[in-house]
Amino acid sequence: EAGVAQSPRYKIIEKRQSVAFWCNPISGHATLYWYQQILGQGPKLLIQFQNNGVVDDSQLPKDRFSAERLKGVDSTLKIQPAKLEDSAVYLCASSLGLANEQFFGPGTRLTVL
Amino acid sequence: SQQGEEDPQALSIQEGENATMNCSYKTSINNLQWYRQNSGRGLVHLILIRSNEREKHSGRLRVTLDTSKKSSSLLITASRAADTASYFCATTSGTYKYIFGTGTRLKVLA
């Protein structure tokens, strides 16, 4: 079974630039999550989709972050414009449904200069 | 916001010893899960315990849950160098929003 795919694996940008991350979940998984993990901290949930609907985005900084999950399969997370404090690893995860175990992708390490 | 607080923040033990880490949380939960994160394999799910369960085992892992104290513990028996990693508890509540804790960094010395 293929795991959760994410791209790119690494990205370096300057502040005020925009960046987009892509995630392809495990086939058949209805729930998709985006997390931000700052070095030394636990993952922080940014947004959670159930199929193509948003279940929770209460911690998504909506003035600069956006996410979509078209057709209920893969998803993109965008930051525009980026700030220095956005430097982190962005993790995508998927699960069969709400409250099932999550399977995580390898993450995208973002550095904002 | 971080709901879970793991304790201790860091733990160093000898191979073959047992490792115990604790997680405390603030609100009522649907379930609690433990995850492991290391540089080689990223974040991996270890075990899930539901709010109506008190104890669960999986191989060398034993998890307990005390909802009256809003706490959980993870015991790793007969630890190995490969168990070196950060361990996180994650809770779901309400609309199954996940909240991860701050993590325990475990180092197992060979």
Side-chain angles (χ1 to χ4, degrees):
Chain A
E1 176 181 87
V4 176
Q6 287 188 248
S7 66
R9 293 293 309 275
Y10 305 91
K11 190 74 178 179
I12 300 174
I13 61 173
E14 296 192 347
K15 60 183 179 184
R16 291 189 288 275
Q17 286 187 323
S18 61
V19 64
F21 313 125
W22 174 81
C23 172
N24 190 27
I26 292 173
S27 177
H29 281 196
T31 314
L32 185 147
Y33 315 78
W34 283 103
Y35 289 88
Q36 178 193 61
Q37 187 174 23
I38 293 172
L39 187 64
Q41 299 182 17
K44 182 179 88 170
L45 180 68
L46 293 176
I47 189 165
Q48 178 177 341
F49 293 94
Q50 179 72 4
N51 297 309
N52 59 351
V54 175
V55 174
D56 189 283
D57 63 357
S58 57
Q59 298 193 100
L60 186 73
K62 297 180 185 65
D63 57 335
R64 298 183 301 105
F65 286 64
S66 64
E68 61 182 8
R69 190 183 184 197
L70 300 176
K71 300 179 183 177
V73 182
D74 56 355
S75 176
T76 56
L77 175 70
K78 297 178 182 177
I79 307 174
Q80 181 180 14
K83 293 185 175 181
L84 296 177
E85 59 260 37
D86 298 331
S87 293
V89 176
Y90 290 84
L91 296 163
C92 178
S94 69
S95 63
L96 278 171
L98 297 173
N100 292 113
E101 71 171 283
Q102 298 177 76
F103 294 84
F104 282 83
T108 297
R109 183 176 299 277
L110 174 68
T111 302
V112 182
L113 303 174
Chain B
S1 62
Q2 309 250 206
Q3 152 123 282
E5 294 283 338
E6 280 91 338
D7 168 54
Q9 289 188 335
L11 180 61
S12 187
I13 59 173
Q14 295 292 325
E15 205 165 29
E17 294 181 336
N18 296 340
T20 299
M21 52 204 84
N22 304 294
C23 168
S24 59
Y25 56 91
K26 298 173 185 172
T27 64
S28 59
I29 60 172
N30 299 314
N31 66 46
L32 185 144
Q33 302 179 33
W34 284 90
Y35 287 80
R36 179 181 66 212
Q37 184 175 40
N38 59 31
S39 57
R41 292 196 60 197
L43 257 170
V44 175
H45 179 268
L46 294 176
I47 196 165
L48 179 154
I49 186 166
R50 302 189 191 285
S51 59
N52 61 353
E53 297 175 312
R54 291 298 166 256
E55 187 171 314
K56 215 162 178 185
H57 296 255
S58 177
R60 294 185 295 113
L61 306 179
R62 173 178 165 250
V63 170
T64 62
L65 178 65
D66 187 335
T67 52
S68 66
K69 295 182 179 177
K70 291 186 169 60
S71 67
S72 172
S73 68
L74 171 68
L75 168 68
I76 304 173
T77 60
S79 62
R80 306 165 181 168
D83 295 327
T84 295
S86 291
Y87 292 81
F88 296 93
C89 66
T91 56
T92 67
S93 58
T95 56
Y96 292 94
K97 172 182 174 179
Y98 274 85
I99 299 179
F100 277 74
T102 52
T104 291
R105 293 187 307 279
L106 172 67
K107 188 168 186 177
V108 181
L109 304 170

